[in-house]
Amino acid sequence: MVWVAPRGTERSPFLRGFGRQVKLFRERAGLTQADLGTRIGYSPDQVASVECGRRIPKPELVDKADEALDAGGVLKAMKEELAHARYPAFFRDAARIEAEAVEVHSYDAQVINGLLQTEDYARAVLAMRRPLLDEEIVEQRVAARMERQAILSARPAPILGFVIEESVLRRPFGGKETLRGQLEQLLLVGQKRNVEVQVMPTDREDHAGADGPFILMTPKGSEQLAYLEGQGRSALLTEREEVRPIAARYGIIRAQALTPRESSFFIEKLLGEL
């Protein structure tokens, strides 16, 4: 089955619903937006943004609001969904699957995979999106991307593999210093026993990745699925006959790329050129 997620708005139905809950509890408590803001460390405008579904509160502030409004744990129970609301609508289902996957394999031809990005690199990539994203949304997505990286040190350790185009490693998103930090991060993460980072050299004449980037994920106890993304839309492929050729393609891509050890040497060489 193919699940296609359309380009979504930032104000998700869940955020609007959460905001209405906050407003109802606030009014029941006889508090103004300024009163609540003082108790939880938000300005009146920020409280208004939460109630309108425009702002995603941090987990610790959800806890404070639940207690200040005597909500009985209703607001706290929504923290997990609020965390997912920081992702663009088209990625939320994939984020849930990724967080619990026992295997993740990615082929990246445009930017470095989010699981490997430094904070500076992630911010640079998100800031150059067109149309431009609000600064608040950029920061929300950067934070969410950094939290996704908990999978790198999860126990039991999932199997993680990344094949990255050489051209991606040479593109200085955010400037040379940002790129330097990103390449150093790749070397660091690549030392983990459960992670393999490979580089696909630009000079390869035979290349199985001509159809573009993709991610393969295997949830615990389930079959492998494929995730495709582009132009603000995504597709989750779950049928075995649809996933199989992509998995086979990834195997060929890995064979055509440099080995993990060769890739480390190559990244070190790129660092020396900066």
Side-chain angles (χ1 to χ4, degrees):
M1 184 178 87
V2 181
W3 163 246
V4 179
R7 190 182 190 93
T9 62
E10 301 309 325
R11 295 182 63 194
S12 72
F14 179 82
L15 282 181
R16 292 195 295 269
F18 177 82
R20 284 194 292 269
Q21 289 287 337
V22 172
K23 183 178 180 179
L24 288 171
F25 281 120
R26 177 179 60 77
E27 292 176 341
R28 187 191 68 173
L31 300 175
T32 65
Q33 291 177 338
D35 294 334
L36 177 58
T38 299
R39 296 188 183 192
I40 67 175
Y42 266 32
S43 69
D45 287 344
Q46 289 173 323
V47 172
S49 293
V50 169
E51 292 185 352
C52 292
R54 294 193 303 267
R55 185 184 184 93
I56 305 172
K58 295 180 179 179
E60 58 270 23
L61 289 172
V62 175
D63 291 338
K64 290 180 180 179
D66 193 281
E67 294 167 6
L69 298 173
D70 193 24
V74 172
L75 300 181
K76 291 181 179 180
M78 301 183 189
K79 284 195 295 185
E80 183 176 350
E81 286 300 319
L82 283 172
H84 285 292
R86 289 182 295 178
Y87 300 119
F90 62 81
F91 184 68
R92 288 169 192 159
D93 290 326
R96 290 187 178 90
I97 295 169
E98 178 189 76
E100 300 177 358
V102 296
E103 288 190 37
V104 177
H105 299 284
S106 173
Y107 165 60
D108 298 295
Q110 295 167 314
V111 297
I112 290 169
N113 188 279
L115 294 179
L116 301 175
Q117 291 180 8
T118 64
E119 187 171 329
D120 287 342
Y121 184 95
R123 185 173 289 107
V125 170
L126 290 167
M128 66 182 66
R129 286 280 303 276
R130 299 294 190 275
L132 293 172
L133 298 173
D134 292 342
E135 288 186 14
E136 184 175 314
I137 292 174
V138 170
E139 292 307 313
Q140 288 172 358
R141 293 191 181 177
V142 169
R145 194 162 292 185
M146 296 302 102
E147 288 185 13
R148 282 172 56 204
Q149 295 179 6
I151 193 175
L152 296 172
S153 54
R155 294 291 181 270
I159 298 172
L160 306 174
F162 305 90
V163 180
I164 310 168
E165 286 289 334
E166 174 187 342
S167 58
V168 173
L169 301 180
R170 291 184 179 276
R171 189 176 298 279
F173 288 128
K176 286 190 175 182
E177 286 306 308
T178 295
L179 179 58
R180 179 184 299 278
Q182 181 59 71
L183 295 179
E184 291 172 346
Q185 171 78 349
L186 292 179
L187 291 174
L188 184 64
V189 175
Q191 292 175 6
K192 292 179 176 288
R193 294 177 58 200
N194 62 313
V195 179
E196 288 189 340
V197 176
Q198 295 180 251
V199 176
M200 175 65 80
T202 302
D203 64 4
R204 289 292 192 260
E205 294 182 3
D206 190 9
H207 190 344
D211 284 346
F214 57 83
I215 299 174
L216 293 164
M217 296 183 284
T218 306
K220 184 177 181 179
S222 300
E223 293 194 10
Q224 190 176 58
L225 54 83
Y227 174 75
L228 313 176
E229 179 185 308
Q231 300 299 321
R233 288 168 172 78
S234 65
L236 274 173
L237 310 183
T238 59
E239 292 293 335
R240 184 180 303 175
E241 293 306 310
E242 295 174 317
V243 177
R244 181 181 296 149
I246 297 176
R249 192 175 304 139
Y250 184 73
I252 299 171
I253 289 172
R254 288 187 64 188
Q256 293 170 333
L258 300 178
T259 67
R261 183 176 178 82
E262 290 170 339
S263 297
S264 293
F265 292 144
F266 188 88
I267 294 171
E268 289 175 352
K269 178 176 176 291
L270 291 180
L271 273 168
E273 297 174 358
L274 291 177

